Amino acid sequence: MSAKAIREYDGKLLLANYLLQSPTLAEEKPASAFVQPPTRLAQVNLSHVSTAEPAEKIAEAVDAALERAERLNPWLQTTKLVAKPDQLIKRRGKSGLLLLNAEWAAVKDWIRERAVKEVSVGTISGVLKTFLVEPFVPHPQDVEYYVCIQSHREGDEILFTHEGGIEVGDVDAKALRLAIPIDQPLPPSERIASALLADISSETQRNALATFIERLYAVYVDLNFTYLEINPLVVLESEDGSAPQVIYLDLAAKLDQTAEFESGDKWARARSDAVVYGTTSSGPGPAMEFPAPFGRELSREEAYIQELDAKTGASLKLTILNKEGRVWTMVAGGGASVVYSDAIAALGFANELANYGEYSGAPSETQTYEYAKTILDLMTRTQHPDGKVLIIGGGIANFTNVATTFKGIIRALKEYKQALIATNVRVFVRRAGPNWQEGLRAMRELGETLGIEIRVFGPETHVTAIVPLALGKAPAGAAGAGFKDSMAKQIPDSTVASTPGTPGQMDVDPLRSGSSATPSVPVAAPSAAEADAEAGSAAPWYSPFTAHTRSIVYGMQPRAVQGMLDFDFICKRKVPSVACMVYPFGGNHVQKFYWGTQETLLPVFASMREAVKRFPDADVVVNFASCRSVFESTKEMLGYSQIRTIAIIAEGVPERHTRKLINMSQKANVTVIGPATVGGIKPGCFKIGNTGGMMDNIASSKLYRPGSVAYVSKSGGMSNELNNIVARTTDGVYEGVAIGGDRYPGTTFLDHMMRYEADPDCKMLLLLGEVGGVEEYKVAEAVRAKKITKPVVAWCIGTCAGMFETEVQFGHAGALANSDSETAEAKNAAMRAAGIHVPDTFEALPALLNQVYSDLVQRSVIVPRPEPEAPKIPIDYAWAMELGLVRKPASFVSTICDDRGQELLYAGMRISDVFKEDIGIGGVLSLLWFKRRLPSYACKFIEMVLMLTADHGPAVSGAHNTIVTARAGKDLISSLCSGLLTIGDRFGGALDGAAELFSNAYDKGLTAREFVDSMRRQNKLILGIGHKIKSRTNPDLRVSIITEYAKKHFPATPVLNYAREVESITTAKKDNLILNVDGAIGVLFVDLLRNSGAFSREEADEYARIGTLNGLFVLGRSIGFIGHYLDQKRLKQGLYRHPWDDISYLNPAAVQGGMSAIKNDRVQVGASKITSK
């Protein structure tokens, strides 16, 4: 979720620190006409105390917290006070949770009576653990005001009413409003006063409020608030005529959590001791906390999953709704997790639903194991008289390897075998996506041995069909038959002599492209937009994607690019849809891909400017930039007039960045899809990135040719389900777009629905909305106003939300209802009333789609065409290996080193064991290299470096050269030299480079953020950062060993500490951008030279400068090179010849011409060429 509520305490600290500091957004900053009172806020925080503890311990903890508050805030004993819980509780005054005008002694008694005790507010019960105490401000009621700033898609809005306080009433009806369009300056104070303050007679108060609102809005934007409400806001005029005080008595606020990388330091600074207690401390405070809603205190298990989620690029979410519940879920995908909860609630089991959660984004086997183990542990703690049900569900994945994630789940199920049997658990599985056959096979095999019932289904079954089966609300065979039972004989078959609309037979299992059966499902006629493109004219506005669309992929995303090229190939495109790639962190080069079964080259440019200049026909950009950099990169793309469409894939883009991009894109007349989207697809023409998943799913959903149904969805994962449903119930998808799950997508449902309405080849529209937001109402209004006349089928997921007692944030950032009108039920009812076809449940959607489609066929609106032959799909060698379809003999045999596991092995001995043996040459080296005896810890460190660098397997370039030379019959010296000659900038040279980069930045006094930003501006990689396999969650043991040793034995490690600060920034962007072993050795050696006491500073700098680090690498690696030479001699290996099938033989023109070979849109495929016309 992006917009997250914060405590009143933290909101007031932010205002206290930044109200007078934040840069103005007005054309001219007005002179302040108010006085900000001093900050006096005391927090009594007992969040660490559990209700399960003995009463005596709870009382001791409460007294300790009160004593601490008294010690840090002496003013508590000298003034009248206000006390209240600070746990996101609405209407505290009306609930009796507000103490006014009390002495500190009375406040302490009041808190003691309520602390760590459960109270009920309305229908929600929760434990009070956090309290806010502040000075009581006596004031007349007529100086109480209400002010609120909230964000909308088009900009921000300020609401103000001159009647504030506990009886403020209906603010929406009575408040005056001032809209501030995005990227527009705040109006001057006079305009603010006339728009919002007309009901205030006192000129002094009006002027004070006008300048206060200017300051408040500056803070709102500067700190990335998404909501800020003050009620009451009190203005106290002074008797001496000086500027009045403006005091914010009660405050509610939300911050954009995705903007933490931009504003996190400012948030933390406001929480520092200097702000809170007025101390002289200059350091930042703790990071901003985002507490759970009242009544939703995080359990230990929820906190653990939250911690796992924070450490990975995947998504792991868990909310416990009812720990005694009978129905537990383990669902893959944000959208899918919602429809499963909907299905359970719709069958009357909302009160039995134990949890909500999801795992997605390709989590590792270990991560899914930990996630599954946590759920199974919770599930098996208590018995249920009817037994328990575990639903392992999910949509059709785009790129998550189902078999890999199921390995982790199966491991957890085996571990909890006895507990599952004792709890009488039944398991129901439905999943699809990459390698789903292997995953489901493994799950079925588990069911034969685990001792509990496990029912397993694939994409032939509707996504939630297992829910009624699991809950005893459907016949035993219903889920297994899936689409067959409900959809068979409802689609007219053009091969049968029947009138339009007469039931025919549908083959509902076209899952393998190699199947000999060719289903005879009708296909739409060729597109009018395609005909225009063939004729050479520009595609119409409603058709941004055609069979001739060319795109630029921003970011190094070879898997996505290969998927796009594979889609092009099976769609029989003449020219690949990807013209080139842009990667700012490398120079211009070419990247190898496949076109069908043969290889081709695509150019990679270092800048967008070069890419658009070289390919003026490319009008689509697929932007894979990170959430931190996507704003700047997209802003640049919007500056090129040839670009018509941009897809922003990144999740976690700050809302203000997105709204600015929306504003700029509208001015540039550019369609923006996303952020937080998988993209979109136009069957037979074009697909964005990873949309549609693997090729087998694209084939089974018949996305290689156009149908008649165009859909728009928020969820990327559910888009695959829609592809599946539409293919099985109609003639297929015409176009599909996932607009993204954020609150403010670049384009809306209506934007795409209006395109589909204008497209003559699109005959039927499908919308999959969700709880939160109001965009579905705009579609309903367009249908009611006859702006959309084609039949529309729609459903809003999230109907279960109203059945939960506490607020639940679903998988997408925008999936949260902020009012009754944003609930799924309200939107479904409104769409139904407007004349849209809305099913009773999501499970009824396929039948309704089929019914509407059949009616269009019967009325000849859709004219069926014979199904074309299913295309053959090439399969990558690596994927074939994953599926166990091929085998390949190894090119080398090595017995001295194995670098494949968690820990490096030398001749079968673990590297940690090597260090335990205390074998070293550090003393000798210190004498020969440095002409002095170094301390014992320094000698030991040098020995550690030599052992770490001694070898890294037979695959690296130096060892490869040594082996090949040895097998050619050359002597030891020649073989060793052939390996050593490969050492340079690309191999082994990162030690010197990392040492120089980090030490220079540290010496210049650059902060870690400044250093990272400067390297980015220079488009340079940070040497010593990044690993292909290891990551923050899968740390490199070698780095841990030497850094822990240095921390224990070195006098100081300032450069290492600095490198770790850099690592904390880089890993926030990508999990594998860790401090690697080269970087660790480099920075630690600088620390050793500078702080051991054996060298002067000049000597230390000189040794670092003249290549000592590279010398260590050469010496250490020579040990391994010699070992490889001896190994090959012992094994009597013969002359090596590289296999020809491991070499790409390309047309000489592609090699000799380099980048210029691509100028005329030629695609090099082996010895042949495909040239665009």
Side-chain angles (χ1 to χ4, degrees):
M1 181 181 180
S2 52
K4 281 204 169 184
I6 59 173
R7 300 189 193 279
E8 180 179 357
Y9 172 78
D10 290 319
K12 287 183 174 179
L13 286 178
L14 292 176
L15 290 190
N17 195 55
Y18 292 103
L19 188 64
L20 302 180
Q21 293 183 29
S22 292
T24 185
L25 295 168
E27 294 180 358
E28 291 185 11
K29 182 177 180 179
S32 180
F34 71 93
V35 173
Q36 182 181 15
T39 303
R40 287 187 171 182
L41 300 167
Q43 186 182 58
V44 179
N45 193 330
L46 298 159
S47 57
H48 61 287
V49 182
S50 171
T51 54
E53 293 183 20
E56 303 79 33
K57 285 199 170 183
I58 293 176
E60 289 176 7
V62 173
D63 286 340
L66 291 170
E67 190 277 330
R68 180 177 185 276
E70 183 178 312
R71 185 178 71 255
L72 294 172
N73 303 280
W75 51 267
L76 289 171
Q77 302 181 68
T78 60
T79 184
K80 292 296 184 71
L81 302 168
V82 174
K84 50 193 170 183
D86 192 6
Q87 293 179 220
L88 312 184
I89 302 173
K90 298 177 181 178
R91 295 175 289 278
R92 289 170 294 192
K94 291 186 176 181
S95 301
L97 295 176
L98 185 63
L99 178 65
L100 299 174
N101 198 17
E103 301 285 351
W104 175 233
V107 169
K108 289 192 289 185
D109 291 340
W110 188 84
I111 291 176
R112 287 190 185 103
E113 290 174 8
R114 292 161 178 77
V116 200
K117 293 183 175 65
E118 186 174 278
V119 299
S120 295
V121 179
T123 61
I124 301 174
S125 297
V127 178
L128 299 181
K129 290 189 176 183
T130 308
F131 296 85
L132 174 61
V133 184
E134 53 191 334
F136 174 71
V137 180
H139 61 275
Q141 188 171 352
D142 61 357
V143 297
E144 288 187 346
Y145 305 107
Y146 171 94
V147 64
C148 173
I149 308 177
Q150 57 189 12
S151 296
H152 302 294
R153 180 181 178 83
E154 297 78 14
D156 302 318
E157 184 180 39
I158 303 176
L159 287 74
F160 185 89
T161 175
H162 68 290
E163 296 174 343
I166 195 170
E167 302 295 340
V168 66
D170 187 353
V171 172
D172 286 335
K174 66 194 296 188
L176 299 174
R177 300 168 185 262
L178 175 63
I180 306 155
I182 197 73
D183 266 354
Q184 293 295 313
L186 185 71
S189 298
E190 298 78 18
R191 169 93 184 279
I192 295 174
S194 63
L196 300 175
L197 311 176
D199 296 327
I200 298 175
S201 57
S202 168
E203 183 178 353
T204 301
Q205 296 211 9
R206 194 164 55 247
N207 290 340
L209 285 167
T211 55
F212 175 80
I213 290 171
E214 180 274 328
R215 289 285 78 218
L216 191 67
Y217 185 66
V219 175
Y220 184 88
V221 175
D222 184 33
L223 300 186
N224 278 291
F225 280 88
T226 62
Y227 182 83
L228 179 56
E229 179 188 63
I230 301 174
N231 180 40
L233 178 70
V234 171
V235 180
L236 296 179
E237 296 188 39
S238 62
E239 295 181 358
D240 60 4
S242 58
Q245 281 193 339
V246 177
I247 307 169
Y248 26 90
L249 294 188
D250 217 357
L251 178 148
K254 293 182 179 181
L255 293 173
D256 184 356
Q257 189 184 21
T258 61
E260 190 161 9
F261 71 87
E262 187 173 79
S263 300
D265 287 347
K266 293 181 180 179
W267 300 343
R269 199 171 298 124
R271 305 180 80 224
S272 67
D273 290 350
V275 174
V276 180
Y277 307 118
T279 65
T280 56
S281 171
S282 59
M288 180 60 69
E289 292 180 3
F290 297 96
F294 179 66
R296 277 287 309 116
E297 182 180 355
L298 282 183
S299 67
R300 180 174 58 85
E301 293 78 14
E302 289 170 319
Y304 175 64
I305 297 301
Q306 190 177 85
E307 182 182 354
L308 283 181
D309 179 66
K311 293 179 178 179
T312 175
S315 177
L316 300 169
K317 301 290 187 293
L318 176 63
T319 299
I320 301 172
L321 303 172
N322 175 13
K323 63 183 179 181
E324 306 294 331
R326 178 189 172 209
V327 184
W328 292 76
T329 64
M330 199 182 305
V331 180
S337 63
V338 179
V339 298
Y340 275 93
S341 298
D342 284 351
I344 294 166
L347 292 172
F349 286 81
N351 62 326
E352 291 282 9
L353 180 58
N355 70 304
Y356 168 79
E358 55 121 348
Y359 68 94
S360 58
S364 68
E365 177 186 337
T366 301
Q367 290 162 351
T368 50
Y369 163 72
E370 292 293 337
Y371 184 78
K373 187 175 70 169
T374 302
I375 291 177
L376 295 178
D377 179 57
L378 288 164
M379 184 183 190
T380 56
R381 288 179 185 176
T382 59
Q383 300 277 345
H384 193 282
D386 298 325
K388 295 191 176 182
V389 171
L390 174 61
I391 295 174
I392 302 175
I396 301 173
N398 284 297
F399 51 82
T400 298
N401 188 322
V402 174
T404 298
T405 55
F406 271 20
K407 285 179 182 177
I409 296 173
I410 289 170
R411 181 178 158 198
L413 287 169
K414 288 180 177 178
E415 187 174 316
Y416 279 81
K417 175 179 178 177
Q418 296 305 321
L420 291 168
I421 294 173
T423 318
N424 190 19
V425 173
R426 298 159 68 225
V427 180
F428 293 81
V429 181
R430 191 276 187 183
R431 194 70 166 104
N435 211 5
W436 64 272
Q437 297 95 333
E438 176 62 21
L440 297 190
R441 182 198 61 76
M443 196 66 79
R444 286 192 187 98
E445 290 181 355
L446 176 69
E448 297 172 0
T449 60
L450 195 62
I452 62 172
E453 180 184 1
I454 299 181
R455 301 284 299 278
V456 182
F457 306 93
E460 76 287 348
T461 304
H462 181 64
V463 59
T464 55
I466 61 172
V467 174
L469 182 65
L471 301 179
K473 298 295 184 179
F483 288 102
K484 277 187 178 178
D485 277 2
S486 59
M487 295 298 106
K489 298 188 177 180
Q490 290 192 28
I491 299 180
D493 188 339
S494 60
T495 64
V496 179
S498 59
T499 58
T502 303
Q505 180 63 45
M506 170 185 172
D507 179 350
V508 296
D509 194 26
L511 300 178
R512 306 301 297 173
S513 61
S515 173
S516 58
T518 303
S520 297
V521 182
V523 184
S527 163
E530 295 302 311
D532 289 342
E534 286 283 0
S537 59
W541 68 271
Y542 55 74
S543 184
F545 311 123
T546 72
H548 303 276
T549 296
R550 299 273 276 161
S551 67
I552 298 169
V553 175
Y554 188 95
M556 189 56 67
Q557 293 289 327
R559 180 169 62 176
V561 171
Q562 187 60 64
M564 294 173 71
L565 295 178
D566 287 342
F567 179 78
D568 299 340
F569 183 78
I570 69 170
C571 292
K572 298 180 173 60
R573 279 186 57 131
K574 296 178 181 178
V575 177
S577 62
V578 182
C580 64
M581 302 168 69
V582 174
Y583 185 59
F585 301 104
N588 293 354
H589 61 284
V590 291
Q591 192 86 359
K592 184 174 65 177
F593 292 97
Y594 285 98
W595 179 259
T597 58
Q598 300 184 31
E599 291 181 309
T600 184
L601 299 175
L602 280 181
V604 181
F605 298 102
S607 70
M608 272 296 298
R609 179 180 55 80
E610 293 175 275
V612 297
K613 181 179 179 181
R614 190 66 64 88
F615 293 96
D617 61 335
D619 61 0
V620 174
V621 180
V622 183
N623 190 351
F624 281 97
S626 72
C627 60
R628 295 168 179 264
S629 60
V630 73
F631 176 72
E632 292 298 332
S633 60
T634 305
K635 187 166 70 170
E636 180 190 1
M637 294 165 193
L638 290 169
Y640 298 107
S641 59
Q642 74 186 58
I643 303 301
R644 295 178 60 206
T645 306
I646 301 172
I648 302 175
I649 309 302
E651 295 185 8
V653 179
E655 289 185 353
R656 189 160 294 276
H657 287 184
T658 300
R659 293 189 296 150
K660 288 181 178 180
L661 290 176
I662 292 170
N663 182 57
M664 289 185 282
S665 68
Q666 290 172 346
K667 292 177 181 178
N669 196 27
V670 172
T671 298
V672 172
I673 300 172
T677 181
V678 71
I681 193 166
K682 189 163 186 181
C685 296
F686 183 83
K687 93 178 185 94
I688 296 172
N690 294 307
T691 308
M694 300 289 285
M695 285 300 111
D696 57 349
N697 182 61
I698 285 174
S700 67
S701 298
K702 302 188 184 301
L703 298 176
Y704 50 81
R705 51 60 167 178
S708 301
V709 182
Y711 70 79
V712 59
S713 163
K714 275 202 163 188
S715 169
M718 289 304 295
S719 293
N720 276 351
E721 284 300 331
L722 293 182
N723 292 333
N724 188 36
I725 292 170
V726 170
R728 294 173 183 275
T729 59
T730 73
D731 67 346
V733 175
Y734 176 76
E735 184 179 330
V737 171
I739 61 174
D742 283 359
R743 291 208 300 166
Y744 306 115
T747 43
T748 65
F749 290 136
L750 185 60
D751 292 332
H752 295 283
M753 298 289 270
M754 294 305 295
R755 283 200 301 108
Y756 301 155
E757 171 69 18
D759 193 327
D761 297 301
C762 172
K763 307 300 182 184
M764 180 175 161
L765 281 58
L766 171 61
L767 184 153
L768 186 67
E770 68 181 20
V771 60
V774 295
E775 293 301 327
E776 292 87 347
Y777 289 106
K778 297 179 182 178
V779 175
E781 182 55 37
V783 172
R784 186 181 291 108
K786 306 299 182 185
K787 294 180 181 179
I788 296 177
T789 58
K790 295 176 181 178
V792 180
V793 178
W795 178 252
C796 230
I797 65 175
T799 53
C800 63
M803 303 180 189
F804 302 140
E805 290 186 356
T806 59
E807 177 185 289
V808 175
Q809 170 63 47
F810 293 115
H812 296 144
L816 181 68
N818 294 307
S819 65
D820 290 342
S821 64
E822 294 188 17
T823 63
E825 294 96 326
K827 292 193 282 188
N828 283 331
M831 290 190 291
R832 190 179 289 116
I836 294 174
H837 299 277
V838 180
D840 293 331
T841 64
F842 180 71
E843 290 68 43
L845 180 67
L848 182 58
L849 271 172
N850 178 254
Q851 177 185 334
V852 175
Y853 169 78
S854 297
D855 178 66
L856 292 175
V857 173
Q858 190 170 13
R859 294 190 287 114
S860 299
V861 176
I862 295 176
V863 179
R865 288 167 56 93
E867 178 71 32
E869 181 182 358
K872 294 181 180 179
I873 307 172
I875 186 169
D876 285 344
Y877 177 80
W879 187 240
M881 288 284 289
E882 176 78 18
L883 298 177
L885 300 178
V886 296
R887 61 189 180 191
K888 177 182 180 292
S891 297
F892 289 138
V893 177
S894 176
T895 61
I896 66 164
C897 180
D898 189 342
D899 60 330
R900 296 169 298 174
Q902 292 290 318
E903 189 176 354
L904 197 63
L905 300 178
Y906 291 161
M909 186 178 184
R910 295 179 184 275
I911 196 167
S912 56
D913 294 335
V914 171
F915 291 125
K916 292 175 185 177
E917 295 297 327
D918 196 22
I919 303 168
I921 197 172
V924 175
L925 188 143
S926 67
L927 294 173
L928 294 176
W929 283 24
F930 304 113
K931 294 183 287 189
R932 69 201 75 186
R933 186 69 180 268
L934 297 181
S936 59
Y937 70 82
C939 295
K940 176 65 175 175
F941 176 74
I942 292 170
E943 294 169 2
M944 293 169 69
V945 170
L946 293 178
M947 286 186 279
L948 284 171
T949 58
D951 200 41
H952 202 254
V956 297
S957 57
H960 180 281
N961 273 19
T962 302
I963 292 171
V964 171
T965 308
R967 290 176 63 166
K970 301 294 285 186
D971 59 86
L972 171 63
I973 302 301
S974 300
S975 302
L976 176 61
C977 288
S978 69
L980 293 176
L981 288 173
T982 64
I983 296 175
D985 291 340
R986 296 188 180 183
F987 173 55
L991 279 74
D992 270 348
E996 182 181 2
L997 275 177
F998 285 107
S999 60
N1000 285 348
Y1002 174 81
D1003 292 342
K1004 291 177 181 177
L1006 296 177
T1007 66
R1009 168 64 63 188
E1010 288 170 343
F1011 172 51
V1012 173
D1013 289 345
S1014 69
M1015 294 298 289
R1016 173 168 183 79
R1017 284 193 297 271
Q1018 299 174 59
N1019 281 341
K1020 290 183 178 179
L1021 298 175
I1022 302 175
L1023 296 178
I1025 291 289
H1027 199 287
K1028 185 175 182 180
I1029 299 172
K1030 301 296 183 180
S1031 65
R1032 182 170 49 175
T1033 55
N1034 178 26
D1036 191 335
L1037 185 58
R1038 299 172 299 170
V1039 175
S1040 301
I1041 290 171
I1042 58 173
T1043 54
E1044 288 169 7
Y1045 176 86
K1047 283 289 187 182
K1048 183 176 180 180
H1049 297 284
F1050 282 22
T1053 57
V1055 184
L1056 172 64
N1057 298 341
Y1058 184 80
R1060 285 298 196 189
E1061 292 178 17
V1062 173
E1063 180 190 49
S1064 68
I1065 294 172
T1066 56
T1067 52
K1069 175 183 177 183
K1070 193 172 182 182
D1071 208 34
N1072 68 337
L1073 295 181
I1074 59 171
L1075 182 67
N1076 59 35
V1077 69
D1078 289 350
I1081 291 173
V1083 298
L1084 284 174
F1085 206 81
V1086 172
D1087 282 332
L1088 176 64
L1089 291 172
R1090 292 184 176 185
N1091 300 290
S1092 65
F1095 305 95
S1096 66
R1097 178 59 182 269
E1098 291 76 17
E1099 288 176 321
D1101 289 345
E1102 183 181 21
Y1103 276 118
R1105 185 176 64 253
I1106 63 177
T1108 305
L1109 286 172
N1110 268 357
L1112 281 174
F1113 182 82
V1114 169
L1115 180 60
R1117 192 51 54 93
S1118 294
I1119 300 170
F1121 291 173
I1122 293 169
H1124 280 293
Y1125 169 83
L1126 298 174
D1127 188 49
Q1128 297 299 313
K1129 290 297 184 182
R1130 283 196 305 267
L1131 293 173
K1132 298 180 174 58
Q1133 294 288 286
L1135 181 66
Y1136 172 76
R1137 179 181 176 86
H1138 204 73
W1140 64 265
D1141 62 347
D1142 196 29
I1143 299 172
S1144 296
Y1145 293 90
L1146 298 176
N1147 188 309
V1151 179
Q1152 295 170 4
M1155 301 296 290
S1156 62
I1158 313 298
K1159 283 185 177 179
N1160 297 318
D1161 278 354
R1162 295 171 180 168
V1163 178
Q1164 302 294 336
V1165 185
S1168 62
K1169 297 184 278 188
I1170 297 177
T1171 307
S1172 62
K1173 296 180 179 179

